[in-house]
Amino acid sequence: MDREPTLKNLLSVISYVLYVLVCLKTLQTEIQNLKDQVQELHRDLTKHHSIINTEKMGEIMERSLNIDSQIASQHSTVETMRVMFEEIWEETFQRVTNEQEIYEAQLHDLLQLKQENSYLTTITRQISPYILSIAKVKERLEPRCCIKGYITPILSICCHIG
């Protein structure tokens, strides 16, 4: 699998996400400033019974509409990036799925090997006394097979297992 396009996509997404975060933070700050100004105007109107400067109110309305168009633009940009995000999510999902399948296959293989080894061990334990007995009989019949402490390989294996 060619990882370079994926890496380029990932870098594009990271830079895009950082850009969006900066834009969102800026918009949040601007909206908070507008809220503070509107709250101040509201307080002046209700508590102080002051006449509100219509020019200031117009500025707030204009900034609010500007922020609304910035939000719409950001929303459009985010929607445009959806396709790239979905491709990356699909690639990631497929990679994780493949890794899970490999893991499960390896686990299955290991369990199968463990079971086969258990069968071999059981069979070896079961036939070990017979092989040991045959080796001892052969040794009695042919004393030449043991020369100065040399133990036949079969006898050695049987002693180790038994």
Side-chain angles (χ1 to χ4, degrees):
M1 178 158 62
D2 187 13
R3 294 213 181 263
E4 190 173 336
T6 302
L7 182 59
K8 284 181 183 177
N9 285 349
L10 186 59
L11 291 175
S12 294
V13 168
I14 289 171
S15 63
Y16 165 74
V17 167
L18 291 175
Y19 167 76
V20 169
L21 287 174
V22 169
C23 289
L24 286 174
K25 184 65 177 166
T26 302
L27 288 171
Q28 288 171 337
T29 302
E30 288 183 36
I31 288 175
Q32 186 58 49
N33 288 339
L34 286 178
K35 282 181 182 178
D36 293 344
Q37 289 178 3
V38 169
Q39 188 176 25
E40 184 180 323
L41 287 175
H42 184 263
R43 185 177 54 241
D44 286 348
L45 183 64
T46 56
K47 282 191 175 180
H48 305 134
H49 302 291
S50 300
I51 297 175
I52 303 301
N53 183 344
T54 56
E55 202 173 289
K56 189 170 185 174
M57 195 65 193
E59 287 174 13
I60 291 173
M61 181 61 76
E62 187 178 317
R63 285 176 52 204
S64 178
L65 291 172
N66 184 11
I67 289 172
D68 194 46
S69 69
Q70 289 177 27
I71 291 170
S73 173
Q74 285 300 317
H75 185 269
S76 174
T77 303
V78 169
E79 282 297 322
T80 303
M81 293 298 290
R82 179 185 298 270
V83 173
M84 185 182 293
F85 278 120
E86 287 175 349
E87 286 175 9
I88 291 171
W89 294 334
E90 182 60 35
E91 288 172 9
T92 303
F93 176 75
Q94 191 58 49
R95 191 169 47 253
V96 168
T97 301
N98 292 344
E99 289 170 3
Q100 286 174 328
E101 288 173 3
I102 291 168
Y103 170 80
E104 291 296 330
Q106 289 173 339
L107 188 59
H108 178 264
D109 291 347
L110 285 171
L111 290 174
Q112 188 173 357
L113 286 173
K114 182 178 180 173
Q115 188 176 23
E116 287 176 18
N117 189 52
S118 175
Y119 291 150
L120 288 173
T121 303
T122 301
I123 291 168
T124 304
R125 281 194 179 120
Q126 289 173 351
I127 65 171
S128 178
Y130 300 107
I131 293 174
L132 187 59
S133 175
I134 291 169
K136 285 182 181 180
V137 167
K138 185 176 179 184
E139 184 180 317
R140 277 189 237 133
L141 295 175
E142 298 178 21
R144 292 174 287 170
C145 70
C146 290
I147 303 171
K148 293 186 181 180
Y150 175 77
I151 301 174
T152 62
I154 293 177
L155 189 58
S156 173
I157 292 171
C158 291
C159 291
H160 178 72
I161 294 172

